[in-house]
Amino acid sequence: MSPQLPPVAPAVTAELVAALSPRLRKRLDSGIAKLADRPVVRDGAVARIAVDDDTDLELHAPDGAVRGADAVRCGCLLAPDCLHRAAAASLAPVAEDTDSAAPQDHSAAEEDAAQAPETATPEQRAAVRAVQLATSAVLEAGTDGAGAVLQAELLRAAHTARLAGLHRAAATAVSVVTALRAARAADPAYHLTDLAAGLYDVLSVAHRLPSASGGELTALRGSARQPYRPDGSLRLYGLFSEPVLTASGYAGAVTWTADAEGRLYQVSDVAPGGAGRAVGAADRTVRIGDTALTHRELARAGLAVSGATVSPTGRLGAGAGVRAVRAPGVGWHEEPVARLWAEPVPDQIARALAGGRDLLFLDVTLTGTAAEAAGDCLLADCSGVPLRLTAAHDDPALPHRDNLRLLSAARGTRLRVVARLTPAPHPRAQLLAAEHPTRVDTRLDIGLDRLQGADLPTTAAAPSGSVPVPVPASASASASDEAPIHLLRRRVHQTVSGGRPVLALPGDTRADARHLRRSGLATAAELLTDLHSAAADRAHDVFGRLRPTDPDRFARAWLAAAHYTSELDRTLCLAAWTP
């Protein structure tokens, strides 16, 4: 995916792909690959691609994104019915809805909720069914088979869902397309677990929504806009800043603050852009009130806000009535922010797994590093719990990996850190901020500040390359001690990668099923057996010909297996964090 192309609205991509002839649809993926190698030039709101020496393709994005099919223009002889327009739209990032980030006042939010029906409307049922069918087709094909045509069908279904008021399904379906494109482009930022989670959420919403009512239906519908509510006057203390870099082409920074009661608030600056914007956003002035603080400065200072408006997730609004001035900050060991680290770690984990904030405030002792498939992780002891701290981003423009590598040499150093929980059967989190290993009362934003070898304790030698140290036996349970849920989880993930055909290959699954039953996981054994059965279910007609596959049955079997592994992982995660 070219970061130079402006984001394209889902409905535009769906429209352009749908307009192709069957012959051109078959050539769409190869057309995208050819276009990806062509140079792109940005001229203000126009991105221009040189298709060949005599033909240019233009994407017009006056507000930062392409919002109409007529904004994609090609100079070839076959235009507007050419392959190039659809290929360019499929290559570009997917634009977010124009109203998704618009503030919504308190009265409007209440009015919308009051007018919402108590059960799903026929239009919503039809829309969510379209999303379900398109997602099932993607799951059946796997990442290798889910090319631009299947992606466009899912984008079309997402657009229909958004028009029907199903904003959660629409947003998650778009995120699935973004992850599919990253997977097919071998983007280093792609993670199989993220795509699996997106598919699970879409299919789960589609399965539950038709019979939901009341509060459950409201949650399944989601909201198009963040309902900002008045919150009076706030005295905030800076905690840390983190860069934002999404696969959908957005970048910037978010600064986290806390009030005297320990409630968290965010000040964000996210817009279309790449890694360069993520790096530079930390030195931009925060967009709230008249303050001249940058994000980097706010992370270490304070803020006094009057007329504050706040979203349900804690994001501070920047309306005309908001006033903000700089105020003194406090250290992490000082009140009132020190109370964030005083909360017992198991309580923090339980809240995160229940859908609350996923930030963890931990006191750790660094113990070394360990090699993993995705890169080395930092090992630490957290009150007797062996913890793995990983990088939040792998982009080389951001210093996450380099900082973790240097910190791994400071073994024995005790630090206060902020991390984001990664649900797993073992303690695992992304390191976001930490105390400086040698400078008292100095904080590090792991994704923005670069450590140097001279910053390490004098007893620690800066590592020359990645030299993992042995992991203590207590740091990870042996395979024989772990619940063998991986036998089911790997099939769930294999489906996402290879689709139904991978699980339909001849093979004996009875050994895995027996292993699960012997470990007390009889339900997992049944789900594994049913998943393989659904994948291999190809009945013959009276003439001996194979009937078409049943994507619905296969998707239901996969959803059941994914739900089981997700819930069991939550339970194992909470248990793992308990000393």
Side-chain angles (χ1 to χ4, degrees), residues 7-29:
V8 177
V12 174
T13 304
E15 178 181 345
L16 292 175
V17 173
L20 294 176
S21 66
R23 180 179 64 86
L24 290 180
R25 284 194 181 192
K26 294 179 181 179
R27 295 170 49 193
L28 181 56
D29 288 323

Side-chain angles (χ1 to χ4, degrees), residues 139 142 491-500 503 531 554 558:
L139 184 67
R491 300 303 183 191
V492 170
H493 288 168
Q494 281 178 345
T495 303
V496 175
S497 297
R500 184 196 58 78
L503 269 70
L531 182 59
F554 181 65
W558 182 88

Side-chain angles (χ1 to χ4, degrees), residues 371-395:
E372 295 186 334
D376 292 351
C377 66
L378 182 63
L379 297 178
D381 178 89
C382 179
S383 301
V385 173
L387 169 63
R388 294 192 174 211
L389 294 168
T390 63
H393 289 283
D394 287 320
D395 193 292

